[in-house]
Amino acid sequence: MPHLPDVVLWSVPAFIVLTVVEMVSYRLHPDEDAAGYEAKDAATSVGMGLGSLVFDALWKIPIVAIYSAVYTLTPLRVPVLWWTLPLMLLAQDFFYYWSHRGHHVIRILWACHVVHHSSQKFNFTTALRQPWTSWTVWPFYVPMVALGVHPAAVAFCSSANLVYQFWVHTERVGKLPGPFEYVLNTPSHHRVHHASQGGYLDRNFGGILIIWDRMFGSFVPETEQPVYGLTKNINTFNPLRVATHEYAAIARDIRAAESWSERAGRVFRGPGWQPARLAGGKAAGKAGAPGKAGVSGKAEAADAPETSQSSTTPTTPDPAKERVA
């Protein structure tokens, strides 16, 4: 088993220092156009981050067991060397892109990830607003383990990716020089990802690199001031509700469903999907795109194209689209 450092633990002091510096910068140089800080919101984000450490430790038990079984069964082995580690980081970032994208387009996965988008602020504490149900992430990295990457190396790469993304959660850094903006995920790109405007919804999924979004048609540059949060915000600072509100919405929709196909759609289709009986037919679905979590005022026909806040086609999203939680 490779001995790799706990990069998240080592980075905690940097997280604290950067957060304090950012808070002080808003005090000394206020910005009316920036979302800034709010005490209750920041406290909720920090609380969600601390809670995620506890729950991640619990989820790690079955996930490590599965990864270990896959690693034992595969005949392949990738050694952890100075030249293989960058390749592992590249592979992990690629699979992270698809995991992140998947968590926007499949409702049961969105129920986990919506936590990270639930703040109407965008600052370093937003990076700490992590879900408590990260058990939905592990399947996306099984291919790495099956190809012979040790589970500990996968965990190290995932931690490095997470640490990198901390610094992109800020409005105090503008656009960087062109080469950096073209290759890397930057604060500018990630502000787009956290925005709730129609043209920004479900874009810029990259972790460390933004090239995956450019390659797979999900990239949008920052051209207007982002509005953060969900298009219909949950307006609560209760960590338990922040962590579970979308699961509760799914349960309500399943109870109200009239068929098994509708129940499956409520779980596995797009977060804004509506059955035809509620959408009012195909024409209604074309009139306006739906929102997140089945509480949308706009509905989508069951046989209409699968679009929502989670539209990930290369075409420009409809500004009418809503993200609801």
Side-chain angles (χ1 to χ4, degrees), residues 68-101:
S68 298
V70 174
Y71 187 74
T72 300
L73 291 173
T74 182
L76 304 175
R77 290 293 182 269
V78 179
V80 179
L81 304 172
W82 68 267
W83 63 271
T84 60
L85 195 56
L87 296 177
M88 293 178 191
L89 286 166
L90 182 67
Q92 190 278 333
D93 198 56
F94 173 78
F95 288 115
Y96 172 85
Y97 169 84
W98 289 108
S99 171
H100 196 180
R101 188 164 172 169

mmCIF file of all heavy atoms in Angstrom, residues 68-101:
data_model
loop_
_atom_site.group_PDB
_atom_site.id
_atom_site.type_symbol
_atom_site.label_atom_id
_atom_site.label_comp_id
_atom_site.label_asym_id
_atom_site.label_seq_id
_atom_site.Cartn_x
_atom_site.Cartn_y
_atom_site.Cartn_z
ATOM 1 N N SER A 68 -11.258 -2.321 -2.669
ATOM 2 C CA SER A 68 -10.260 -3.351 -2.366
ATOM 3 C C SER A 68 -10.574 -4.644 -3.094
ATOM 4 O O SER A 68 -9.659 -5.329 -3.589
ATOM 5 C CB SER A 68 -10.197 -3.588 -0.858
ATOM 6 O OG SER A 68 -9.796 -2.416 -0.173
ATOM 7 N N ALA A 69 -11.868 -4.981 -3.171
ATOM 8 C CA ALA A 69 -12.263 -6.198 -3.884
ATOM 9 C C ALA A 69 -11.943 -6.077 -5.374
ATOM 10 O O ALA A 69 -11.417 -7.027 -5.985
ATOM 11 C CB ALA A 69 -13.756 -6.450 -3.682
ATOM 12 N N VAL A 70 -12.237 -4.928 -5.959
ATOM 13 C CA VAL A 70 -11.941 -4.714 -7.383
ATOM 14 C C VAL A 70 -10.435 -4.767 -7.620
ATOM 15 O O VAL A 70 -9.959 -5.391 -8.577
ATOM 16 C CB VAL A 70 -12.516 -3.359 -7.861
ATOM 17 C CG1 VAL A 70 -12.071 -3.062 -9.297
ATOM 18 C CG2 VAL A 70 -14.034 -3.362 -7.772
ATOM 19 N N TYR A 71 -9.675 -4.126 -6.731
ATOM 20 C CA TYR A 71 -8.214 -4.096 -6.882
ATOM 21 C C TYR A 71 -7.615 -5.492 -6.745
ATOM 22 O O TYR A 71 -6.642 -5.838 -7.435
ATOM 23 C CB TYR A 71 -7.620 -3.163 -5.837
ATOM 24 C CG TYR A 71 -6.137 -2.922 -5.998
ATOM 25 C CD1 TYR A 71 -5.650 -2.100 -7.009
ATOM 26 C CD2 TYR A 71 -5.225 -3.518 -5.121
ATOM 27 C CE1 TYR A 71 -4.292 -1.870 -7.149
ATOM 28 C CE2 TYR A 71 -3.866 -3.295 -5.251
ATOM 29 C CZ TYR A 71 -3.399 -2.475 -6.264
ATOM 30 O OH TYR A 71 -2.055 -2.256 -6.402
ATOM 31 N N THR A 72 -8.195 -6.287 -5.879
ATOM 32 C CA THR A 72 -7.704 -7.659 -5.698
ATOM 33 C C THR A 72 -7.984 -8.516 -6.929
ATOM 34 O O THR A 72 -7.170 -9.366 -7.313
ATOM 35 C CB THR A 72 -8.365 -8.294 -4.463
ATOM 36 O OG1 THR A 72 -8.045 -7.525 -3.303
ATOM 37 C CG2 THR A 72 -7.889 -9.723 -4.265
ATOM 38 N N LEU A 73 -9.131 -8.280 -7.558
ATOM 39 C CA LEU A 73 -9.536 -9.106 -8.690
ATOM 40 C C LEU A 73 -8.825 -8.734 -9.992
ATOM 41 O O LEU A 73 -8.626 -9.588 -10.856
ATOM 42 C CB LEU A 73 -11.046 -8.996 -8.895
ATOM 43 C CG LEU A 73 -11.918 -9.626 -7.804
ATOM 44 C CD1 LEU A 73 -13.387 -9.301 -8.031
ATOM 45 C CD2 LEU A 73 -11.711 -11.136 -7.761
ATOM 46 N N THR A 74 -8.436 -7.460 -10.139
ATOM 47 C CA THR A 74 -7.790 -7.079 -11.388
ATOM 48 C C THR A 74 -6.330 -7.525 -11.410
ATOM 49 O O THR A 74 -5.631 -7.434 -10.393
ATOM 50 C CB THR A 74 -7.867 -5.551 -11.605
ATOM 51 O OG1 THR A 74 -7.252 -5.229 -12.858
ATOM 52 C CG2 THR A 74 -7.159 -4.795 -10.496
ATOM 53 N N PRO A 75 -5.857 -8.009 -12.556
ATOM 54 C CA PRO A 75 -4.450 -8.416 -12.649
ATOM 55 C C PRO A 75 -3.519 -7.227 -12.899
ATOM 56 O O PRO A 75 -2.295 -7.373 -12.840
ATOM 57 C CB PRO A 75 -4.441 -9.368 -13.850
ATOM 58 C CG PRO A 75 -5.556 -8.857 -14.724
ATOM 59 C CD PRO A 75 -6.618 -8.348 -13.782
ATOM 60 N N LEU A 76 -4.087 -6.054 -13.168
ATOM 61 C CA LEU A 76 -3.286 -4.882 -13.519
ATOM 62 C C LEU A 76 -2.756 -4.194 -12.263
ATOM 63 O O LEU A 76 -3.399 -4.203 -11.216
ATOM 64 C CB LEU A 76 -4.119 -3.903 -14.343
ATOM 65 C CG LEU A 76 -4.743 -4.473 -15.621
ATOM 66 C CD1 LEU A 76 -5.643 -3.438 -16.277
ATOM 67 C CD2 LEU A 76 -3.657 -4.948 -16.584
ATOM 68 N N ARG A 77 -1.592 -3.587 -12.395
ATOM 69 C CA ARG A 77 -1.003 -2.826 -11.299
ATOM 70 C C ARG A 77 -0.292 -1.594 -11.865
ATOM 71 O O ARG A 77 0.514 -1.701 -12.795
ATOM 72 C CB ARG A 77 -0.006 -3.676 -10.510
ATOM 73 C CG ARG A 77 -0.628 -4.774 -9.680
ATOM 74 C CD ARG A 77 -1.460 -4.203 -8.529
ATOM 75 N NE ARG A 77 -2.042 -5.245 -7.689
ATOM 76 C CZ ARG A 77 -3.240 -5.783 -7.870
ATOM 77 N NH1 ARG A 77 -3.982 -5.396 -8.915
ATOM 78 N NH2 ARG A 77 -3.709 -6.698 -7.044
ATOM 79 N N VAL A 78 -0.610 -0.432 -11.290
ATOM 80 C CA VAL A 78 0.060 0.809 -11.665
ATOM 81 C C VAL A 78 0.867 1.265 -10.450
ATOM 82 O O VAL A 78 0.287 1.660 -9.435
ATOM 83 C CB VAL A 78 -0.945 1.904 -12.076
ATOM 84 C CG1 VAL A 78 -0.197 3.188 -12.424
ATOM 85 C CG2 VAL A 78 -1.800 1.440 -13.250
ATOM 86 N N PRO A 79 2.186 1.238 -10.525
ATOM 87 C CA PRO A 79 2.997 1.652 -9.375
ATOM 88 C C PRO A 79 2.897 3.161 -9.147
ATOM 89 O O PRO A 79 2.663 3.927 -10.086
ATOM 90 C CB PRO A 79 4.416 1.245 -9.781
ATOM 91 C CG PRO A 79 4.393 1.295 -11.280
ATOM 92 C CD PRO A 79 3.009 0.839 -11.683
ATOM 93 N N VAL A 80 3.048 3.559 -7.914
ATOM 94 C CA VAL A 80 3.048 4.984 -7.582
ATOM 95 C C VAL A 80 4.478 5.491 -7.698
ATOM 96 O O VAL A 80 5.301 5.308 -6.797
ATOM 97 C CB VAL A 80 2.485 5.232 -6.162
ATOM 98 C CG1 VAL A 80 2.520 6.718 -5.831
ATOM 99 C CG2 VAL A 80 1.063 4.692 -6.057
ATOM 100 N N LEU A 81 4.767 6.133 -8.827
ATOM 101 C CA LEU A 81 6.094 6.669 -9.106
ATOM 102 C C LEU A 81 5.979 8.140 -9.473
ATOM 103 O O LEU A 81 4.876 8.660 -9.676
ATOM 104 C CB LEU A 81 6.746 5.888 -10.255
ATOM 105 C CG LEU A 81 6.863 4.369 -10.058
ATOM 106 C CD1 LEU A 81 7.328 3.710 -11.342
ATOM 107 C CD2 LEU A 81 7.818 4.057 -8.902
ATOM 108 N N TRP A 82 7.116 8.815 -9.588
ATOM 109 C CA TRP A 82 7.107 10.248 -9.874
ATOM 110 C C TRP A 82 6.414 10.549 -11.196
ATOM 111 O O TRP A 82 5.805 11.608 -11.361
ATOM 112 C CB TRP A 82 8.535 10.792 -9.867
ATOM 113 C CG TRP A 82 9.385 10.284 -11.009
ATOM 114 C CD1 TRP A 82 10.212 9.205 -10.999
ATOM 115 C CD2 TRP A 82 9.475 10.858 -12.318
ATOM 116 N NE1 TRP A 82 10.822 9.050 -12.226
ATOM 117 C CE2 TRP A 82 10.390 10.058 -13.051
ATOM 118 C CE3 TRP A 82 8.900 11.962 -12.939
ATOM 119 C CZ2 TRP A 82 10.721 10.331 -14.385
ATOM 120 C CZ3 TRP A 82 9.232 12.241 -14.266
ATOM 121 C CH2 TRP A 82 10.137 11.440 -14.973
ATOM 122 N N TRP A 83 6.477 9.618 -12.157
ATOM 123 C CA TRP A 83 5.886 9.884 -13.470
ATOM 124 C C TRP A 83 4.485 9.298 -13.623
ATOM 125 O O TRP A 83 3.728 9.717 -14.512
ATOM 126 C CB TRP A 83 6.793 9.371 -14.583
ATOM 127 C CG TRP A 83 7.009 7.874 -14.569
ATOM 128 C CD1 TRP A 83 7.976 7.179 -13.902
ATOM 129 C CD2 TRP A 83 6.233 6.911 -15.280
ATOM 130 N NE1 TRP A 83 7.847 5.830 -14.131
ATOM 131 C CE2 TRP A 83 6.804 5.638 -14.985
ATOM 132 C CE3 TRP A 83 5.139 6.969 -16.143
ATOM 133 C CZ2 TRP A 83 6.285 4.457 -15.507
ATOM 134 C CZ3 TRP A 83 4.624 5.805 -16.680
ATOM 135 C CH2 TRP A 83 5.201 4.566 -16.357
ATOM 136 N N THR A 84 4.109 8.334 -12.781
ATOM 137 C CA THR A 84 2.756 7.782 -12.868
ATOM 138 C C THR A 84 1.760 8.617 -12.083
ATOM 139 O O THR A 84 0.575 8.663 -12.434
ATOM 140 C CB THR A 84 2.708 6.330 -12.361
ATOM 141 O OG1 THR A 84 3.137 6.285 -10.989
ATOM 142 C CG2 THR A 84 3.593 5.426 -13.212
ATOM 143 N N LEU A 85 2.220 9.293 -11.033
ATOM 144 C CA LEU A 85 1.302 10.080 -10.211
ATOM 145 C C LEU A 85 0.625 11.207 -11.007
ATOM 146 O O LEU A 85 -0.592 11.394 -10.875
ATOM 147 C CB LEU A 85 2.031 10.625 -8.988
ATOM 148 C CG LEU A 85 1.148 11.166 -7.862
ATOM 149 C CD1 LEU A 85 0.147 10.109 -7.398
ATOM 150 C CD2 LEU A 85 1.999 11.627 -6.685
ATOM 151 N N PRO A 86 1.349 11.964 -11.828
ATOM 152 C CA PRO A 86 0.650 12.962 -12.655
ATOM 153 C C PRO A 86 -0.390 12.344 -13.585
ATOM 154 O O PRO A 86 -1.445 12.941 -13.821
ATOM 155 C CB PRO A 86 1.783 13.620 -13.453
ATOM 156 C CG PRO A 86 2.998 13.416 -12.617
ATOM 157 C CD PRO A 86 2.802 12.079 -11.966
ATOM 158 N N LEU A 87 -0.109 11.151 -14.093
ATOM 159 C CA LEU A 87 -1.081 10.483 -14.955
ATOM 160 C C LEU A 87 -2.311 10.061 -14.156
ATOM 161 O O LEU A 87 -3.448 10.132 -14.661
ATOM 162 C CB LEU A 87 -0.438 9.261 -15.621
ATOM 163 C CG LEU A 87 0.725 9.544 -16.584
ATOM 164 C CD1 LEU A 87 1.311 8.237 -17.108
ATOM 165 C CD2 LEU A 87 0.255 10.425 -17.740
ATOM 166 N N MET A 88 -2.103 9.628 -12.917
ATOM 167 C CA MET A 88 -3.228 9.291 -12.046
ATOM 168 C C MET A 88 -4.078 10.525 -11.754
ATOM 169 O O MET A 88 -5.319 10.464 -11.765
ATOM 170 C CB MET A 88 -2.723 8.691 -10.732
ATOM 171 C CG MET A 88 -2.065 7.336 -10.862
ATOM 172 S SD MET A 88 -1.473 6.770 -9.239
ATOM 173 C CE MET A 88 -0.483 5.362 -9.716
ATOM 174 N N LEU A 89 -3.413 11.657 -11.495
ATOM 175 C CA LEU A 89 -4.145 12.901 -11.244
ATOM 176 C C LEU A 89 -4.954 13.308 -12.470
ATOM 177 O O LEU A 89 -6.092 13.775 -12.346
ATOM 178 C CB LEU A 89 -3.164 14.009 -10.867
ATOM 179 C CG LEU A 89 -2.559 13.924 -9.463
ATOM 180 C CD1 LEU A 89 -1.358 14.868 -9.336
ATOM 181 C CD2 LEU A 89 -3.609 14.252 -8.413
ATOM 182 N N LEU A 90 -4.370 13.123 -13.651
ATOM 183 C CA LEU A 90 -5.083 13.448 -14.891
ATOM 184 C C LEU A 90 -6.296 12.547 -15.062
ATOM 185 O O LEU A 90 -7.391 13.020 -15.400
ATOM 186 C CB LEU A 90 -4.131 13.296 -16.077
ATOM 187 C CG LEU A 90 -4.715 13.658 -17.455
ATOM 188 C CD1 LEU A 90 -5.016 15.153 -17.526
ATOM 189 C CD2 LEU A 90 -3.742 13.249 -18.563
ATOM 190 N N ALA A 91 -6.109 11.244 -14.816
ATOM 191 C CA ALA A 91 -7.224 10.306 -14.939
ATOM 192 C C ALA A 91 -8.313 10.613 -13.916
ATOM 193 O O ALA A 91 -9.513 10.603 -14.239
ATOM 194 C CB ALA A 91 -6.719 8.874 -14.761
ATOM 195 N N GLN A 92 -7.921 10.898 -12.681
ATOM 196 C CA GLN A 92 -8.914 11.214 -11.652
ATOM 197 C C GLN A 92 -9.698 12.464 -12.011
ATOM 198 O O GLN A 92 -10.916 12.530 -11.810
ATOM 199 C CB GLN A 92 -8.210 11.397 -10.292
ATOM 200 C CG GLN A 92 -9.167 11.496 -9.100
ATOM 201 C CD GLN A 92 -9.736 12.880 -8.908
ATOM 202 O OE1 GLN A 92 -9.114 13.870 -9.298
ATOM 203 N NE2 GLN A 92 -10.921 12.968 -8.300
ATOM 204 N N ASP A 93 -9.018 13.464 -12.564
ATOM 205 C CA ASP A 93 -9.700 14.697 -12.944
ATOM 206 C C ASP A 93 -10.697 14.437 -14.068
ATOM 207 O O ASP A 93 -11.781 15.025 -14.100
ATOM 208 C CB ASP A 93 -8.672 15.742 -13.376
ATOM 209 C CG ASP A 93 -9.248 17.150 -13.375
ATOM 210 O OD1 ASP A 93 -9.753 17.587 -12.321
ATOM 211 O OD2 ASP A 93 -9.188 17.822 -14.425
ATOM 212 N N PHE A 94 -10.344 13.551 -14.985
ATOM 213 C CA PHE A 94 -11.257 13.165 -16.070
ATOM 214 C C PHE A 94 -12.518 12.502 -15.507
ATOM 215 O O PHE A 94 -13.641 12.864 -15.879
ATOM 216 C CB PHE A 94 -10.546 12.212 -17.033
ATOM 217 C CG PHE A 94 -11.440 11.627 -18.086
ATOM 218 C CD1 PHE A 94 -11.819 12.370 -19.191
ATOM 219 C CD2 PHE A 94 -11.902 10.321 -17.968
ATOM 220 C CE1 PHE A 94 -12.651 11.819 -20.175
ATOM 221 C CE2 PHE A 94 -12.722 9.768 -18.939
ATOM 222 C CZ PHE A 94 -13.099 10.525 -20.041
ATOM 223 N N PHE A 95 -12.322 11.543 -14.609
ATOM 224 C CA PHE A 95 -13.487 10.872 -14.022
ATOM 225 C C PHE A 95 -14.257 11.805 -13.089
ATOM 226 O O PHE A 95 -15.479 11.681 -12.960
ATOM 227 C CB PHE A 95 -13.054 9.600 -13.288
ATOM 228 C CG PHE A 95 -12.632 8.494 -14.212
ATOM 229 C CD1 PHE A 95 -11.321 8.028 -14.224
ATOM 230 C CD2 PHE A 95 -13.546 7.916 -15.078
ATOM 231 C CE1 PHE A 95 -10.932 7.018 -15.086
ATOM 232 C CE2 PHE A 95 -13.167 6.896 -15.946
ATOM 233 C CZ PHE A 95 -11.858 6.451 -15.954
ATOM 234 N N TYR A 96 -13.555 12.745 -12.456
ATOM 235 C CA TYR A 96 -14.254 13.742 -11.639
ATOM 236 C C TYR A 96 -15.199 14.563 -12.505
ATOM 237 O O TYR A 96 -16.326 14.864 -12.092
ATOM 238 C CB TYR A 96 -13.258 14.674 -10.933
ATOM 239 C CG TYR A 96 -13.966 15.817 -10.249
ATOM 240 C CD1 TYR A 96 -14.482 15.673 -8.965
ATOM 241 C CD2 TYR A 96 -14.165 17.036 -10.897
ATOM 242 C CE1 TYR A 96 -15.174 16.707 -8.354
ATOM 243 C CE2 TYR A 96 -14.855 18.078 -10.296
ATOM 244 C CZ TYR A 96 -15.353 17.906 -9.024
ATOM 245 O OH TYR A 96 -16.055 18.924 -8.428
ATOM 246 N N TYR A 97 -14.751 14.936 -13.682
ATOM 247 C CA TYR A 97 -15.608 15.708 -14.583
ATOM 248 C C TYR A 97 -16.924 14.976 -14.825
ATOM 249 O O TYR A 97 -18.006 15.558 -14.732
ATOM 250 C CB TYR A 97 -14.898 15.963 -15.922
ATOM 251 C CG TYR A 97 -15.820 16.516 -16.983
ATOM 252 C CD1 TYR A 97 -16.082 17.881 -17.051
ATOM 253 C CD2 TYR A 97 -16.442 15.669 -17.906
ATOM 254 C CE1 TYR A 97 -16.940 18.395 -18.014
ATOM 255 C CE2 TYR A 97 -17.297 16.176 -18.869
ATOM 256 C CZ TYR A 97 -17.553 17.537 -18.919
ATOM 257 O OH TYR A 97 -18.418 18.032 -19.865
ATOM 258 N N TRP A 98 -16.853 13.688 -15.131
ATOM 259 C CA TRP A 98 -18.074 12.931 -15.421
ATOM 260 C C TRP A 98 -18.898 12.686 -14.167
ATOM 261 O O TRP A 98 -20.135 12.652 -14.222
ATOM 262 C CB TRP A 98 -17.718 11.618 -16.117
ATOM 263 C CG TRP A 98 -17.244 11.877 -17.517
ATOM 264 C CD1 TRP A 98 -15.977 11.770 -17.993
ATOM 265 C CD2 TRP A 98 -18.036 12.355 -18.605
ATOM 266 N NE1 TRP A 98 -15.933 12.144 -19.308
ATOM 267 C CE2 TRP A 98 -17.175 12.500 -19.718
ATOM 268 C CE3 TRP A 98 -19.392 12.655 -18.755
ATOM 269 C CZ2 TRP A 98 -17.634 12.945 -20.960
ATOM 270 C CZ3 TRP A 98 -19.854 13.104 -19.995
ATOM 271 C CH2 TRP A 98 -18.980 13.243 -21.081
ATOM 272 N N SER A 99 -18.232 12.522 -13.033
ATOM 273 C CA SER A 99 -18.971 12.411 -11.777
ATOM 274 C C SER A 99 -19.727 13.702 -11.496
ATOM 275 O O SER A 99 -20.922 13.683 -11.162
ATOM 276 C CB SER A 99 -17.995 12.112 -10.627
ATOM 277 O OG SER A 99 -18.650 12.205 -9.373
ATOM 278 N N HIS A 100 -19.036 14.823 -11.626
ATOM 279 C CA HIS A 100 -19.645 16.119 -11.363
ATOM 280 C C HIS A 100 -20.807 16.376 -12.324
ATOM 281 O O HIS A 100 -21.887 16.810 -11.922
ATOM 282 C CB HIS A 100 -18.576 17.198 -11.512
ATOM 283 C CG HIS A 100 -18.954 18.513 -10.922
ATOM 284 N ND1 HIS A 100 -18.124 19.600 -10.957
ATOM 285 C CD2 HIS A 100 -20.086 18.935 -10.285
ATOM 286 C CE1 HIS A 100 -18.705 20.629 -10.366
ATOM 287 N NE2 HIS A 100 -19.894 20.249 -9.958
ATOM 288 N N ARG A 101 -20.589 16.083 -13.589
ATOM 289 C CA ARG A 101 -21.644 16.262 -14.592
ATOM 290 C C ARG A 101 -22.829 15.345 -14.297
ATOM 291 O O ARG A 101 -23.985 15.757 -14.389
ATOM 292 C CB ARG A 101 -21.071 15.992 -15.987
ATOM 293 C CG ARG A 101 -22.010 16.318 -17.128
ATOM 294 C CD ARG A 101 -21.240 16.400 -18.432
ATOM 295 N NE ARG A 101 -22.142 16.524 -19.569
ATOM 296 C CZ ARG A 101 -21.754 16.828 -20.795
ATOM 297 N NH1 ARG A 101 -20.468 17.041 -21.048
ATOM 298 N NH2 ARG A 101 -22.628 16.912 -21.788
#
